[in-house]
């Protein structure tokens, strides 16, 4: 299982090894998944800004509730992200994030888990994920999601992972369903961007415990 700070490499459908670093294959290339820390945060923010720049493009479609060309991560959100990475796991406002690097060091995708804002939902967390447009449909999203699920299972206090996804992001929805997430609600016309109506889908997956 992954530890709270170690890097890991992935081989699809293999069990994660308890090592400080590891490499996984995705398609015809290998990638390194490692945690985001303060030393990596500037590079990670640059990646996020590039990632958001693809939103609404013909290749990527809409994966975020924002119009094409909207600014990337605002300075206040960057500070919140940075601060949350330092919060002990299990405390309110904690966050952990990991990125996937391909040979050469380019960040190709990321996944993050964070606390709900409500103080009585500490047994749950929220998932966020993204993959650069040019590296989609190569198994990277599934690899990142498997990593996050395994990490969550190693945290005894976490029982549920929740997420929100736009109804137009059909590839992501199919991936989440394959990995055991269940659709629990859909808010029609939740967002409007570039003249489009975007619905918000909520999904969840139990990782510990029973009803």
């Amino acid at each position: 299982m992954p530890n709270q700070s170690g890097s890991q490499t992935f081989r699809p459908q293999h069990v994660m090894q308890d090592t400080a670093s590891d490499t996984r294959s995705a398609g015809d290339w290998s990638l390194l998944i490692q945690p985001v820390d303060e030393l990596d945060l500037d590079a990670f923010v640059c990646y996020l800004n590039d990632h958001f720049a693809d939103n609404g493009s013909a290749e990527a479609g809409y994966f975020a509730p924002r119009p094409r060309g909207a600014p990337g991560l605002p300075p206040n959100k960057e500070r919140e992200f940075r601060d949350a990475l330092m919060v002990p796991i299990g405390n309110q406002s904690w966050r952990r994030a990991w990125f996937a690097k391909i040979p050469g060091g380019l960040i190709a995708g990321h996944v993050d888990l964070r606390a709900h804002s409500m103080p009585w939902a500490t047994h749950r967390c929220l998932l966020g994920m993204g993959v650069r447009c040019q590296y989609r449909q190569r198994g990277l999203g599934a690899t990142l999601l498997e990593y996050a699920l395994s990490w969550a299972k190693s945290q005894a206090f976490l029982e549920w992972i929740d997420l929100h996804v736009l109804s137009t992001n059909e590839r992501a929805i199919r991936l989440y369903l394959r990995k055991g997430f269940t659709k629990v609600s859909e808010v029609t016309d939740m967002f409007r961007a570039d003249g489009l109506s975007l619905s918000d889908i909520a999904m969840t997956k139990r990782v510990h415990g029973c009803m």
Side-chain angles (χ1 to χ4, degrees):
M1 302 295 292
N3 55 39
Q4 293 180 1
S5 59
S7 306
Q8 298 219 351
T9 32
F10 277 69
R11 304 192 184 282
Q13 301 178 352
H14 285 202
V15 176
M16 280 193 281
Q17 301 176 9
D18 197 8
T19 58
S21 64
D22 198 353
T23 303
R24 240 182 212 214
S25 300
D28 56 355
W29 40 273
S30 62
L31 57 96
L32 176 69
I33 295 181
Q34 62 187 73
V36 178
D37 59 27
E38 285 208 273
L39 296 177
D40 305 308
L41 199 56
D42 288 343
F44 185 68
V45 169
C46 287
Y47 150 78
L48 285 179
N49 289 336
D50 289 345
H51 175 59
F52 282 131
D54 287 333
N55 184 59
S57 68
E59 297 81 8
Y62 286 86
F63 54 82
R66 51 198 297 166
R68 289 187 299 271
L73 200 63
N76 64 314
K77 292 298 183 182
E78 180 180 340
R79 287 192 298 272
E80 289 177 10
F81 201 108
R82 185 187 302 270
D83 292 344
L85 291 175
M86 301 297 108
V87 175
I89 295 168
N91 289 18
Q92 193 172 359
S93 78
W94 68 268
R95 187 175 201 142
R96 294 299 181 270
W98 301 267
F99 53 64
K101 285 185 176 181
I102 61 172
L106 179 70
I107 299 175
H110 80 284
V111 65
D112 71 270
L113 295 171
R114 66 188 187 277
H116 275 277
S117 59
M118 297 79 74
W120 300 281
T122 55
H123 61 297
R124 311 182 75 103
C125 67
L126 284 164
L127 179 141
M129 191 173 72
V131 175
R132 284 188 189 270
C133 191
Q134 64 267 41
Y135 296 106
R136 293 177 182 173
Q137 301 186 70
R138 301 177 69 175
L140 178 53
T143 298
L144 286 163
L145 185 54
E146 288 165 7
Y147 185 96
L149 290 172
S150 291
W151 185 89
K153 290 174 182 176
S154 74
Q155 308 299 315
F157 76 97
L158 281 178
E159 296 183 27
W160 296 88
I161 297 179
D162 305 314
L163 63 86
H164 290 268
V165 59
L166 296 181
S167 58
T168 52
N169 197 350
E170 296 179 355
R171 289 175 184 162
I173 294 170
R174 289 195 296 269
L175 171 61
Y176 297 139
L177 290 171
R178 287 200 307 271
K179 297 302 179 182
F181 283 83
T182 301
K183 178 180 173 180
V184 293
S185 68
E186 179 172 350
V187 180
T188 302
D189 196 26
M190 180 69 184
F191 307 105
R192 293 186 179 181
D194 299 325
L196 299 175
S197 169
L198 303 172
S199 299
D200 178 73
I201 292 176
M203 306 182 78
T204 192
K205 177 181 173 67
R206 179 178 278 277
V207 293
H208 280 132
C210 59
M211 297 298 292

